[in-house]
Amino acid sequence: MTPFTYARAEDAAGAIALTGAHADSRYLGGGTNLIDLMREGIEAPAALIDVTGLPSGIEPRDDGGVWIGAAVKNTTLAADRTIRTRYPALSRAILAGASGQIRNMATVGGNILQRTRCTYFYDDAARCNKRAPGTGCDAIGGFNRIHAILGASPACVATHPSDMCVAMLALDAIVHLDGPMGARSIPLADLHRLPGDTPEIDTVLRPNELIAAVELPALPFAARSAYRKVRDRASYAFALVSVAAALDVDGGTIRDVRLALGGVAHRPWRAAKAEAALRGRPATEASFRAAAEAELADAAALRDNGFKIELAKRTIVATLGDVMEAGA
Ligand SMILES: Cc1cc2nc3c(=O)[nH]c(=O)nc-3n(C[C@H](O)[C@H](O)[C@H](O)COP(=O)(O)OP(=O)(O)OC[C@H]3O[C@@H](n4cnc5c(N)ncnc54)[C@H](O)[C@@H]3O)c2cc1C
């Protein structure tokens, strides 16, 4: 491992100030992804700035929303009573990820910014445009069972690995950022990028910008939201396909809906076409299937991952069914 310095920040301002001392620093959350990347030689920062001292509160808002500090541990967030009652899909998504030990260490900020699990990204004998821009992508002609079916490019077919982000995306999360150029807030939907010609850039974050907090707006019908994750093993495995869903049904007709997919694209995928197809329709399996067909109409398979297209459709239908059973 390349030598690096370590410093712990007490707050956002302190963390941002510390980045000025090193040309190549990284914020450190629980370290469950970044330290692995450093051990593998994929990332080699000169300095780590520990941001686990940033706000770690979960604050319910009177309007029905909730404010979540970036340093909140995944375990704490999943277990929180407000989250479990107002946004159960988020609690279930977090508990579907990683292991108990990892969730105890992992933070909200780090989970959002974890890097892809594409095996070619982690294999320095392979060509990977995300790890080494301009070298090519061995996943495209290789073993690509876990790779993207939506929004991929000729440069990169990697997927975003987070379960938590899929639920947060469906719940219209806002990410509060702070950095050398000041504070700003953006929808989570705008944070992660599609790969295009620059797959080495995962997000729209500016240099040394940090995640200070995540805010979930009030969404009363999310109290009956659901999350489904399909994977090769029952635990300790990343999603092949996952779905977060919330439905607002009035007299058998869908008044409103939130739907997002994981494991299918370079970023958590908001299923906007399916949502549009569902609003105003009867809350039936036929409507759910038609919406799933609409969302996956542009999906493109590689050699090994064609099964994901039908799997995503079925998982959308099943997850919406779960929400109905919960009493949407
Ligand atoms: C074996 C294994 C299995 C896993 N399975 C799953 C799974 O099934 N589902 C899933 O979703 N995840 C899974 N994970 C990933 C795990 O959830 C992430 O490693 C974890 O959430 C990262 O959080 P962290 O705080 O440890 O981040 P770190 O490793 O500390 O950081 C990750 C990235 O975020 C940046 N960062 C951290 N905090 C901030 C901040 N506040 N502002 C700006 N940048 C910041 C770091 O610089 C780094 O680039 C798995 C991990 C392992 C090792």
Side-chain angles (χ1 to χ4, degrees):
M1 208 189 271
T2 310
F4 58 88
T5 63
Y6 168 91
R8 184 177 157 89
E10 295 308 322
D11 54 24
I16 294 160
L18 282 165
T19 63
H22 296 275
D24 186 22
S25 56
R26 295 278 193 294
Y27 297 122
L28 177 70
T32 61
N33 186 217
L34 180 55
I35 300 297
D36 281 356
L37 292 166
M38 291 169 67
R39 284 199 189 103
E40 298 290 334
I42 297 163
E43 301 219 21
L48 292 183
I49 299 164
D50 186 335
V51 289
T52 53
L54 262 60
S56 58
I58 302 169
E59 296 172 15
R61 294 280 154 93
D62 291 343
D63 69 357
V66 64
W67 187 95
I68 303 161
V72 172
K73 297 290 167 87
N74 286 189
T75 299
T76 308
L77 187 59
D80 183 80
R81 188 174 181 79
T82 304
I83 299 298
R84 283 176 24 230
T85 52
R86 292 185 189 176
Y87 311 102
L90 176 57
S91 179
R92 292 197 191 115
I94 295 168
L95 293 175
S99 65
Q101 290 92 336
I102 291 169
R103 294 193 297 269
N104 287 344
M105 291 294 292
T107 61
V108 166
N111 189 312
I112 293 171
L113 295 177
Q114 63 175 295
R115 306 209 68 192
T116 184
R117 290 286 159 170
C118 172
T119 39
Y120 296 94
F121 174 70
Y122 284 81
D123 177 2
D124 64 6
R127 296 179 307 148
C128 173
N129 286 320
K130 183 179 278 298
R131 174 171 34 76
T135 56
C137 172
D138 277 344
I140 289 174
F143 184 57
N144 43 40
R145 191 171 169 276
I146 64 170
H147 289 81
I149 52 172
L150 289 166
S153 78
C156 183
V157 293
T159 59
H160 193 271
S162 169
D163 289 293
M164 186 188 81
C165 284
V166 179
M168 284 187 169
L169 180 64
L171 297 168
D172 296 326
I174 306 290
V175 184
H176 296 287
L177 305 170
D178 206 349
M181 295 170 69
R184 62 182 178 134
S185 301
I186 60 173
L188 179 68
D190 296 338
L191 179 71
H192 298 100
R193 297 177 65 252
L194 290 179
D197 295 333
T198 52
E200 72 278 14
I201 306 171
D202 289 342
T203 69
V204 301
L205 285 184
R206 296 170 181 154
N208 296 327
E209 208 166 29
L210 62 74
I211 295 178
V214 174
E215 187 180 343
L216 299 177
L219 190 66
F221 67 87
R224 290 175 305 277
S225 55
Y227 186 78
R228 262 195 190 227
K229 175 175 180 177
V230 183
R231 48 188 157 172
D232 284 327
R233 287 188 305 264
S235 74
Y236 215 42
F238 290 89
L240 291 166
V241 167
S242 67
V243 176
L247 269 178
D248 181 12
V249 177
D250 182 24
T253 299
I254 299 167
R255 195 159 42 188
D256 205 355
V257 55
R258 300 288 185 277
L259 200 61
L261 311 183
V264 296
H266 192 258
R267 67 182 186 205
W269 188 266
R270 184 69 180 257
K273 289 178 189 162
E275 289 182 358
L278 286 166
R279 287 193 186 97
R281 306 295 305 164
T284 60
E285 191 170 323
S287 302
F288 301 162
R289 180 73 199 190
E293 295 284 353
E295 191 61 49
L296 275 299
D298 295 331
L302 300 162
R303 189 192 66 192
D304 303 317
N305 69 354
F307 74 98
K308 276 193 176 190
I309 298 176
E310 178 61 22
L311 184 63
K313 293 176 187 173
R314 292 186 188 195
T315 310
I316 289 172
V317 173
T319 313
L320 291 168
D322 292 342
V323 181
M324 290 300 291
E325 272 181 28

